[in-house]
Amino acid sequence: MKPGDLLADRFRLDAVLDNTSDFSTVWIGDDTVLQRPVAIRTLKLSDHRTAQVLTGAQRAAEINDPSCVHVLDIGRAEEFNTAFIVTAYVQADTLSDVLADGPLDAVEAADLVAEIADTIARVHDRGIAHGCLDPLQILLAPTGDAIVLGLGTALAVHHPERDAEMVDDVRSLGAMLYACLTARWPMPSSTGLPAAVRDGADLVPPRKARAHVPTPLDRLCRRALGETVAGEEPFDNAREFSVALRAHLTRSGTTAAQRLDRRRSTGPVTTLKGVRQQGRRGVIALIALAVSIVIGGLLLLGVQVLNSVFSEPG
């Protein structure tokens, strides 16, 4: 398939966004009927996984959640030996893009992952597991809110192992929190982030991987990753994990209203990455101003010295 190809006499392929999968490709395209940009995932009809993914996309289309990218259409294009899933196209940084600049602070990390866990809990309520949750599947809207991608590829709908897949989603949420706290990814999947540090076969806890991670948040992260910590069982439910994160934030002294104000007070900055970049620009500007003041002071001192030399008699 190539740019310009038209699927179902409606959806035109424009450019490849992601071709890292062994059986599907993600394109940016156009809905030529409604004249709007869309994302199109094409899948090989000959692959045994395609039928299951299409079933997942069909169920995902029932979800009308502002925190999920909507599935708009599914279909087959026999002439290209392909099936396709069409979703809304959202132009925004992924969480992986943001974390490439470094970890978030503990409050940002807990608040963001709690929001993602809330979304995944609502998806689980509909009997759907995400199945491939990682920082590449999270977009950050202009408000800083998280939008979940990838529901169109959920493999666990009506699957005998659906409950296990939902637990896997919780493990991925734990990995997401680990990544937000350390800017390292603790799972085998590729996200563009460096791999988490290990001590032999054991994952180094977030608190040891990065200074100043609060102990309670470290423990919540490890429980979501599947550990029993201080006698407390692992989280197996996305909503329980979200509730625990919000309780931690409340105990740490930040209210939901304060966290919302914090996100909305960024003005023209559209993402957490932008906030960090704006902060760096501010620091650079202050340094430049300080250097200018020092240089100006030295020049003034030099002029005064010269004046005193030439004004001395004789």
Side-chain angles (χ1 to χ4, degrees), residues 33-105:
V33 174
L34 297 180
Q35 297 185 339
R36 61 181 176 180
V38 291
I40 305 168
R41 182 179 292 272
T42 57
L43 308 102
K44 297 176 183 177
L45 277 177
S46 56
D47 194 286
H48 69 279
R49 294 167 289 184
T50 294
Q52 196 173 6
V53 171
L54 291 177
T55 301
Q58 190 170 20
R59 283 295 306 280
E62 301 170 7
I63 297 175
N64 186 21
D65 190 307
S67 296
C68 297
V69 172
H70 297 159
V71 176
L72 303 175
D73 200 359
I74 62 173
R76 298 170 184 266
E78 302 287 349
E79 66 274 26
F80 297 112
N81 190 34
T82 191
F84 61 87
I85 301 167
V86 182
T87 64
Y89 175 67
V90 181
Q91 189 170 13
D93 286 330
T94 67
L95 180 56
S96 188
D97 293 329
V98 172
L99 295 178
D101 277 358
L104 308 183
D105 71 36

Side-chain angles (χ1 to χ4, degrees), residues 39 67-69 87-90 94 120 130 132-139 147-153:
S67 296
C68 297
V69 172
T87 64
Y89 175 67
V90 181
T94 67
I120 295 302
H130 189 287
C132 55
L133 197 60
D134 64 39
L136 290 172
Q137 303 300 322
I138 305 299
L139 296 177
I147 300 174
V148 178
L149 293 169
L151 287 177
T153 61

